Amino acid sequence: MAGAGFTSGADGTMPQIVRTDDVLGGDPRIKDHRIGVYHVYQRYVEGDETPEAIATSYGISVAEVHAALAYAFSNPEEMREIEARNQARYEEDPGIRITPDDRA
């Protein structure tokens, strides 16, 4: 499924947010990465990190962080659903924390 279709930047493109059933359980993510929108959103909102710090820690561009945040803030109910689902999984088995450190 295609992402949000944001466009901008010098070359006319901006990173897309995509969904793939077999990557991150189908949750929205930054195209070409296993970095979920929720992961970025959580670090920004709950971790009080700057987009630049998030980009550096994940090895992605600031534009990719902003695309993820734009998606998250445009879809707050979906972010709450992902949070609830992740929390339920963690409570069932604390050893299954999801960390997006692989490329898609």
Side-chain angles (χ1 to χ4, degrees):
M1 175 185 277
F6 300 113
T7 58
S8 186
D11 65 355
T13 64
M14 181 179 259
Q16 288 190 338
I17 303 304
V18 298
R19 294 171 175 274
T20 309
D21 289 339
D22 61 344
V23 180
L24 298 181
D27 287 346
R29 65 181 173 83
I30 299 169
K31 185 176 181 182
D32 297 328
H33 299 278
R34 288 183 52 89
I35 301 169
V37 167
Y38 180 76
H39 298 116
V40 174
Y41 171 76
Q42 183 179 37
R43 289 181 67 172
Y44 181 76
V45 173
E46 296 175 16
D48 200 29
E49 294 184 52
T50 65
E52 293 80 9
I54 295 167
T56 298
S57 70
Y58 283 137
I60 60 176
S61 71
V62 174
E64 288 169 313
V65 171
H66 282 287
L69 291 173
Y71 183 94
F73 285 114
S74 295
N75 297 281
E77 183 60 34
E78 184 176 7
M79 294 301 105
R80 285 190 289 274
E81 290 171 8
I82 292 170
E83 179 179 20
R85 191 172 56 248
N86 288 346
Q87 185 63 35
R89 285 182 194 147
Y90 179 70
E91 288 172 3
E92 289 175 13
D93 183 1
I96 63 166
R97 280 217 159 180
I98 299 169
T99 55
D101 54 335
D102 295 326
R103 295 192 127 230

